[in-house]
Amino acid sequence: MTEPQAGIFALGTASHTYLEFDAHGADAADRLARTVASLREPRTTMGGINLVAGFGPEIWRRAAPDDAPNVGSFDSDVVGVDGYTMPATQHDALLWLSGSAYDVVFDAARSAIAALASIATVAEETTSWPYHHDRDLTGFIDGTENPTVLDAPDEVLIPHGQPAAGGTILLLQKWVHDAAAWESLPVDEQELVMGRRKLDSVELDPKPDDSHVASTDQDLFGKIFRRNMPFGTVTQHGTMFVGFSPDQQRLTAMLERMAGITTGTRDALTAFTHPLTGAYYVVPSSDALRRWVAPEDTDRLSYADGPARMAQP
């Protein structure tokens, strides 16, 4: 069986950094893939990090045409009813680093940026952290509909026999919240917007058709695995949407429903939050990444071996 990148499913980490890169020219695909794949992590579980690497669909298609899923870039804004817009900010590569403490994530991120400096420039950097264990900054529990970690690989990895088997498709968006407007609502009104209770996350019955739960009902478009995290400062903050799927259509359908394109009514939560960024990334399997590394280096790679600390190659 083709092994996924283990960091996708490594729950419980306290510090996260997302680095999105733009390559120095269209001919940099091979060098970018090789350098990202060669980021090495000594095999240790002490003070370590998880590293998940993704590539813009066009970059990965140029680098690995025989291992490229049918995925398009997020190169056009999603425009819904009333002109509500989810912006397209596609980049060429993503490194998502997570760990038990920010110092090790910080050091690893600087190391990765240095390793890629001659090939790509950091276009977007976001630091995230958990809030009251499993809540987002609205105060509600996030990821209620997630499959369990045991079931998630079967739900969100590209199946055996298809291009990029063992990999997955990632939708990454940074959503900023209008905290003042949201917090001015009584709890019962917040619950109508969300479609579930704030204290225990039980769905309302009936739930409003425009509620967030109704708009993002995975029974309608298929399961995704969300690794959302809060981000930002005390004065400006929100949610990093980190959603994995074996096919792009599930993710696209979710965005279109939220924007009201398919229903004519926007997700009620979009009155209180809006996205600043939007990009799709192909997250190859760990096996696919190893193909880019010289044989003598493969014993030092650990994309599939759990938490580890990364050193600059």
Side-chain angles (χ1 to χ4, degrees):
M1 178 180 176
T2 305
E3 292 290 336
Q5 296 185 47
I8 297 168
F9 307 109
L11 305 182
T13 46
S15 296
H16 299 251
T17 289
Y18 310 88
L19 302 173
E20 297 179 81
F21 293 86
D22 285 338
H24 298 164
D27 60 349
D30 283 9
R31 291 180 62 209
L32 184 60
R34 184 171 295 108
T35 304
V36 168
S38 298
L39 295 174
R40 291 187 283 272
E41 307 173 37
R43 296 187 179 205
T44 175
T45 58
M46 298 301 293
I49 65 154
N50 297 291
L51 170 63
V52 175
F55 299 88
E58 300 306 320
I59 284 285
W60 186 247
R61 190 171 293 113
R62 287 197 291 269
D66 295 333
D67 197 39
N70 183 22
V71 181
S73 296
F74 201 142
D75 51 13
S76 297
D77 295 347
V78 176
V79 181
V81 296
D82 303 325
Y84 185 83
T85 300
M86 301 180 183
T89 60
Q90 183 69 56
H91 299 292
D92 294 324
L94 163 75
L95 295 181
W96 166 29
L97 303 102
S98 63
S100 59
Y102 185 62
D103 54 354
V104 293
V105 173
F106 178 85
D107 287 343
R110 292 191 67 209
S111 177
I113 291 169
L116 289 167
S118 66
I119 306 165
T121 301
V122 176
E124 188 76 35
E125 174 187 354
T126 307
T127 298
S128 294
W129 28 266
Y131 180 71
H132 293 292
H133 181 58
D134 56 3
R135 296 182 184 267
D136 66 23
L137 295 179
T138 66
F140 282 74
I141 295 172
D142 201 1
T144 302
E145 289 195 38
N146 259 355
T148 68
V149 173
L150 291 177
D151 294 334
D154 291 334
E155 296 281 2
V156 302
L157 297 180
I158 296 170
H160 177 72
Q162 296 186 18
T168 186
I169 310 306
L170 167 63
L171 170 61
L172 186 71
Q173 290 179 298
K174 182 189 296 188
W175 291 75
V176 66
H177 297 176
D178 185 344
W182 176 253
E183 291 165 1
S184 70
L185 293 180
V187 170
D188 59 341
E189 293 186 28
Q190 292 181 358
E191 292 175 339
L192 291 174
V193 170
M194 284 293 189
R196 49 191 168 89
R197 295 204 300 255
K198 192 169 189 177
L199 181 63
D200 55 15
S201 205
V202 172
E203 289 190 12
L204 302 182
D205 185 18
K207 54 182 175 285
D209 291 339
D210 66 345
S211 67
H212 185 57
V213 168
S215 298
T216 59
D217 185 353
Q218 294 180 32
D219 290 335
L220 297 175
F221 52 79
K223 289 290 185 182
I224 61 176
F225 185 60
R226 292 167 41 163
R227 292 292 310 277
N228 296 0
M229 293 294 292
F231 81 93
T233 65
V234 173
T235 56
Q236 186 182 52
H237 45 258
T239 298
M240 282 297 287
F241 179 86
V242 184
F244 295 95
S245 170
D247 64 81
Q248 189 174 33
Q249 182 55 41
R250 299 183 192 183
L251 300 164
T252 301
M254 180 188 66
L255 295 185
E256 290 178 346
R257 284 182 61 84
M258 290 181 68
I261 294 173
T262 53
T263 62
T265 304
R266 272 172 39 199
D267 182 334
L269 187 59
T270 61
F272 304 95
T273 183
H274 67 273
L276 303 176
T277 67
Y280 288 109
Y281 292 100
V282 177
V283 179
S285 68
S286 59
D287 301 77
L289 288 171
R290 284 192 175 95
R291 296 185 195 115
W292 287 91
V293 184
E296 61 270 19
D297 290 334
T298 57
D299 63 342
R300 293 199 284 170
L301 283 173
S302 55
Y303 284 93
D305 295 330
R309 181 165 180 158
M310 183 178 68
Q312 183 175 337

